[in-house]
Amino acid sequence: MNRLIDGACRAVEALIALMLAVMVLLVFGNVVLRYGFNSGITISEEVSRWLFIWITFLGALVALRERAHLGVDMVVGRLPPWGKKLCMAASHLLMLYMLWLLFQGSVAQTRINWDVQAPVTGASMAVVYSVGIVFAVFAALILLLDLARLLAGRLSDSELVTIQESEEAAALAQVLGPQADPKERRP
């Protein structure tokens, strides 16, 4: 199952790269056409906005899988393994609840906007809101897999903290060495 999800994440990363390339071409092409030839690509702004929304949600999905979201682990990092497991289970259950709310809201907005046409392209505005459905479903699968691995005892201690420090904090800790790491200090 992990291989399947990792493969899907690689496919999503490729899709994000493609969307970003299309977005850059549309925006750059529109700028060149406006200033160089006094014309433009009519759909450029609208499609670029939609691509940006999709890139954001899909990128958050990949970051969830890679545990790349930033956070503070001052409390959780100091807990014993059973405390980390309890916090992880509680956080996953809360995130699943939030995903359920996002899913319900996105389904409702997609239904409401199904027949609403975008001003320039004429496409359904449901395209914008359906990304919430996609994100909620796949993020829930990732969280449920992690929760199942937690309950089965197949997570290592390093996997119990599901966030990363900022690059600046990690670089500072590396420069200052273990004496600067609060986890290493004893009161």
Side-chain angles (χ1 to χ4, degrees):
M1 187 67 158
N2 279 332
R3 269 193 240 152
L4 179 67
I5 291 178
D6 289 339
C9 281
R10 282 192 296 279
V12 168
E13 288 172 354
L15 180 63
I16 289 171
L18 178 66
M19 288 176 161
L20 186 60
V22 169
M23 193 169 87
V24 167
L25 285 174
L26 284 172
V27 172
F28 182 72
N30 202 30
V31 168
V32 169
L33 287 173
R34 275 193 189 158
Y35 291 108
F37 303 101
N38 202 23
S39 68
I41 305 169
T42 322
I43 64 168
S44 174
E45 187 177 329
E46 195 170 276
V47 172
S48 296
R49 186 179 328 115
W50 290 358
L51 289 173
F52 183 72
I53 292 167
W54 274 84
I55 287 170
T56 302
F57 276 86
L58 293 177
L61 189 62
V62 172
L64 177 66
R65 176 64 180 162
E66 296 176 355
R67 302 172 190 270
H69 287 284
L70 296 178
V72 179
D73 67 344
M74 287 188 315
V75 175
V76 176
R78 293 175 186 247
L79 292 175
W82 66 267
K84 289 179 184 177
K85 289 177 183 178
L86 185 65
C87 286
M88 184 179 184
S91 69
H92 275 52
L93 291 173
L94 286 171
M95 285 188 282
L96 286 167
Y97 176 66
M98 292 299 129
L99 287 172
W100 172 248
L101 294 177
L102 176 66
F103 178 79
Q104 284 183 316
S106 296
V107 167
Q109 285 299 316
T110 301
R111 285 182 182 156
I112 290 169
N113 289 287
W114 192 263
D115 295 324
V116 177
Q117 291 183 346
V120 178
T121 61
S124 172
M125 287 299 293
V127 170
V128 175
Y129 299 102
S130 61
V131 71
I133 298 170
V134 172
F135 175 79
V137 167
F138 288 107
L141 287 175
I142 291 170
L143 291 174
L144 286 170
L145 179 67
D146 278 351
L147 196 55
R149 289 178 59 215
L150 173 70
L151 295 175
R154 293 184 306 177
L155 285 179
S156 66
D157 284 346
S158 64
E159 292 178 303
L160 293 177
V161 178
T162 59
I163 57 170
Q164 287 186 2
E165 293 181 5
S166 69
E167 291 177 11
E168 293 84 14
L172 181 62
Q174 188 176 20
V175 168
L176 296 176
Q179 72 274 9
D181 189 1
K183 295 175 192 167
E184 299 294 321
R185 282 191 230 143
R186 302 285 182 240

